Amino acid sequence: MKYQPVIGLEVHVQLKTDTKIFCGCSTQFGAEPNSQTCPVCLGLPGALPVLNKKVVEFAIKAGLSTNCSITPRSIFARKNYFYPDLPKGYQISQFEDPICQRGWLDIPVEGQENKRIGITRIHMEEDAGKLVHGELSGPGDGSGVDLNRACTPLLEVVSEPDLRSSDEAVIYLKQLHQIVTWLGICDGNMEEGSFRCDANVSVMPVGSDTLGTRAEIKNVNSFKFVKQAIEYEIQRQIDLIEDGGTIVQETRLFDPNSGTTRSMRSKEEAHDYRYFPDPDLVPLVISNEWVERSRQKLPELPGQRQQRFIDDLGLPRYDAEVLTASRALADYFEAGVAAGGNAKAVGNWIMGEITRALNDRGTSIETCPVTPVQLAQLLKLIDTGTISGKIAKTVFDEMWQSGKAPQTIVEEQGLLQVSDISAIESIINDIMAANAGQVEEYRGGKEKVFGFFVGQVMKASKGKANPTVVNELLLNKLKG
Ligand SMILES: [Zn+2]
């Protein structure tokens, strides 16, 4: 039998606010355990939560960027469960009436232009603390609780079960990741857990319209692991069904070392949490004006910018996608074009030399020592024939090192391209005289030798001879 996987993702997006969602403590990562806490996030009796307005603003931005409706009156609920990293015995979340509802993202899928993935809801919630084991936990061998992370603001973005393969899941996840980092509401750091995802996976016979029982895989924190975890889980469920077994609804953990998932606990239902409206927090009322103000302030989103690069600047789709990988990269590109660079050439240099140089040095476009204006100046020197494309790479390296303008480097180092016919002719004469054998071969029909002569002339001119002139003159002279 053939099976159809059905996948939905719940993504936790940690918001990049300076302070926590219900108190004024810092959200900085990596501080001394329990140094960023107060009565509210420690869950001390009587301490009252106060909602951080920034969190609401970020949630609205996320909602509008994913085509959601913003709920005019949303409420916070208590999600009750026990765990040592949750001193209150409940997590403040949203259950009924979350802040954003009924959105979607269009993802590119093989064989079709776009596929629409529904977003059921986005809600705000607080993170729990975390358990630390071993050394950091204090004296003895026990475990400790670090509540620095408690009360850190999260958005949970819940998709419809519209994804049909691990590849689609990863494309969707990458798009969501791009949007929240682009908006500047999340740092996107998956290793530190700022962007992590739970995957609901089930399989059903192809052609069936009854969803299979699903398993939820918890806290997968890299794109690669998401793909691995989903693929393993799909195969595990198919094998189990084929062997006559039954899928049980459960929560499973992914083990990156073995690439497998294992059962953690039977899956709880919503009613197990005994959600009820938090009596310490009033309903959140968001006016139409507030939503419209936020909409006005939204930046041009990656998808829109890609389309503009294609329509207005004539870039191929591939280039437009690469150049909008981050907002900083897209800004750099546009600044280069604004400074007079040809769009395709600026794009090529960013995707080629600049990316290579950034990767070699393990740095990012934000700290690129060559400014977009300098890059445009360099391209102009190539366009006007002042330097060759090959020399331009030498000049670029020097710009990177010294920060000097390309024109200055060309003048200081005498790198001007030689287009003077008599100067190039004299080099060609010398080379032909020194390689009479090859001249004979060429004239005897071995045209491949031509490349050898071009190489020799360029070498003799230290790369400065104008390649077009060299080609023309060589052709003439070799014909004899
Ligand atoms: Zn606090």
Side-chain angles (χ1 to χ4, degrees):
M1 200 186 308
K2 281 235 170 246
Y3 294 88
Q4 173 67 69
V6 176
I7 303 150
L9 296 183
E10 294 171 14
V11 181
H12 285 96
V13 177
Q14 187 179 310
L15 296 178
K16 217 168 77 177
T17 53
D18 295 333
T19 55
K20 297 183 178 181
I21 181 169
F22 298 120
C23 65
C25 294
S26 167
T27 53
Q28 198 73 43
F29 182 83
E32 186 76 8
N34 297 308
S35 62
Q36 295 170 172
T37 53
C38 73
V40 173
C41 52
L42 289 173
L44 301 188
L48 290 172
V50 177
L51 178 59
N52 181 343
K53 190 175 177 188
K54 195 106 201 167
V55 173
V56 181
E57 281 169 359
F58 282 7
I60 295 174
K61 276 188 181 179
L64 293 176
S65 305
T66 51
N67 308 294
C68 288
S69 311
I70 308 301
T71 311
R73 187 178 183 277
S74 70
I75 46 178
F76 285 96
R78 291 186 178 180
K79 180 181 182 181
N80 299 281
Y81 68 90
F82 170 80
Y83 203 69
D85 65 9
L86 187 72
K88 294 196 295 287
Y90 60 86
Q91 175 192 25
I92 306 179
S93 180
Q94 295 192 294
F95 184 55
E96 288 167 331
D97 305 326
I99 183 163
C100 312
Q101 305 183 58
R102 298 178 306 277
W104 43 264
L105 284 181
D106 283 336
I107 62 168
V109 185
E110 226 163 54
Q112 54 189 113
E113 179 82 337
N114 275 315
K115 175 171 175 177
R116 183 154 294 185
I117 307 302
I119 290 175
T120 319
R121 55 186 281 150
I122 301 177
H123 64 253
M124 299 174 281
E125 63 184 21
E126 58 177 348
D127 207 346
K130 68 179 177 207
L131 295 183
V132 273
H133 308 287
E135 239 181 284
L136 277 171
S137 64
D141 299 329
S143 294
V145 182
D146 176 10
L147 292 173
N148 282 349
R149 203 181 65 182
C151 233
T152 295
L154 300 177
L155 292 182
E156 183 171 333
V157 183
V158 183
S159 86
E160 291 287 312
D162 289 341
L163 301 157
R164 291 290 174 270
S165 67
S166 59
D167 285 334
E168 287 186 15
V170 170
I171 294 170
Y172 164 83
L173 201 59
K174 282 188 172 167
Q175 192 166 329
L176 189 60
H177 184 267
Q178 187 187 28
I179 289 173
V180 296
T181 51
W182 189 281
L183 289 172
I185 64 174
C186 172
D187 67 19
N189 188 327
M190 296 178 85
E191 268 169 38
E192 290 176 5
S194 305
F195 187 91
R196 53 192 197 263
C197 122
D198 302 341
N200 288 303
V201 180
S202 67
V203 298
M204 61 183 182
V206 168
S208 162
D209 50 12
T210 314
L211 292 178
T213 305
R214 66 176 206 259
E216 180 181 14
I217 312 163
K218 281 301 226 191
N219 269 335
V220 197
N221 69 347
S222 84
F223 296 122
K224 189 177 125 202
F225 293 161
V226 167
K227 188 170 160 63
Q228 275 182 6
I230 291 174
E231 277 167 11
Y232 175 83
E233 186 58 22
I234 291 169
Q235 199 51 51
R236 183 190 72 85
Q237 293 186 12
I238 292 174
D239 291 347
L240 190 59
I241 296 170
E242 297 274 279
D243 289 348
T246 319
I247 310 291
V248 291
Q249 184 165 330
E250 62 183 349
T251 301
R252 300 181 67 86
L253 268 186
F254 175 67
D255 175 5
N257 294 318
S258 63
T260 62
T261 65
R262 64 186 157 78
S263 183
M264 186 163 92
R265 57 172 187 254
S266 68
K267 168 74 181 161
E268 56 292 314
E269 300 281 353
H271 63 248
D272 294 326
Y273 289 117
R274 305 204 169 268
Y275 282 99
F276 66 89
D278 192 309
D280 290 341
L281 288 156
V282 294
L284 171 64
V285 176
I286 299 170
S287 67
N288 246 329
E289 291 73 43
W290 188 358
V291 175
E292 285 318 308
R293 267 203 313 278
S294 299
R295 202 191 299 278
Q296 298 304 323
K297 278 193 280 186
L298 278 187
E300 185 183 31
L301 292 169
Q304 298 165 330
R305 210 159 182 188
Q306 265 170 35
Q307 203 54 50
R308 187 164 58 77
F309 286 179
I310 295 168
D311 296 342
D312 297 358
L313 301 176
L315 286 189
R317 177 164 296 278
Y318 174 81
D319 295 20
E321 278 174 15
V322 175
L323 293 169
T324 50
S326 77
R327 201 166 155 184
L329 195 66
D331 287 346
Y332 187 100
F333 165 73
E334 283 209 81
V337 175
N342 166 282
K344 181 74 182 126
V346 173
N348 283 343
W349 270 77
I350 294 175
M351 295 189 293
E353 293 306 308
I354 292 189
T355 301
R356 203 168 10 254
L358 292 172
N359 288 344
D360 284 352
R361 293 159 178 88
T363 174
S364 66
I365 194 76
E366 284 93 335
T367 52
C368 180
V370 175
T371 67
V373 173
Q374 287 174 330
L375 175 62
Q377 290 168 345
L378 179 66
L379 294 179
K380 204 163 281 173
L381 293 180
I382 305 173
D383 280 350
T384 53
T386 312
I387 54 172
S388 67
K390 191 166 185 288
I391 290 289
K393 292 182 179 168
T394 313
V395 176
F396 175 79
D397 286 340
E398 184 59 31
M399 288 161 73
W400 191 286
Q401 299 296 334
S402 67
K404 285 182 186 165
Q407 186 70 45
T408 314
I409 295 167
V410 169
E411 281 162 15
E412 281 177 2
Q413 306 197 0
L415 297 172
L416 283 180
Q417 178 162 268
V418 179
S419 302
D420 176 34
I421 294 178
S422 61
I424 295 177
E425 242 174 357
S426 124
I427 296 176
I428 292 178
N429 288 339
D430 289 350
I431 286 170
M432 284 174 65
N435 298 281
Q438 276 89 341
V439 174
E440 283 314 305
E441 281 180 31
Y442 181 82
R443 288 178 178 159
K446 204 174 167 195
E447 294 195 353
K448 273 202 296 190
V449 189
F450 189 75
F452 161 79
F453 284 104
V454 175
Q456 291 297 307
V457 177
M458 293 310 287
K459 195 171 154 195
S461 73
K462 298 197 175 67
K464 289 187 287 186
N466 182 329
T468 316
V469 178
V470 171
N471 272 289
E472 268 173 33
L473 290 177
L474 261 179
L475 268 178
N476 267 324
K477 296 217 156 248
L478 281 172
K479 269 190 212 147

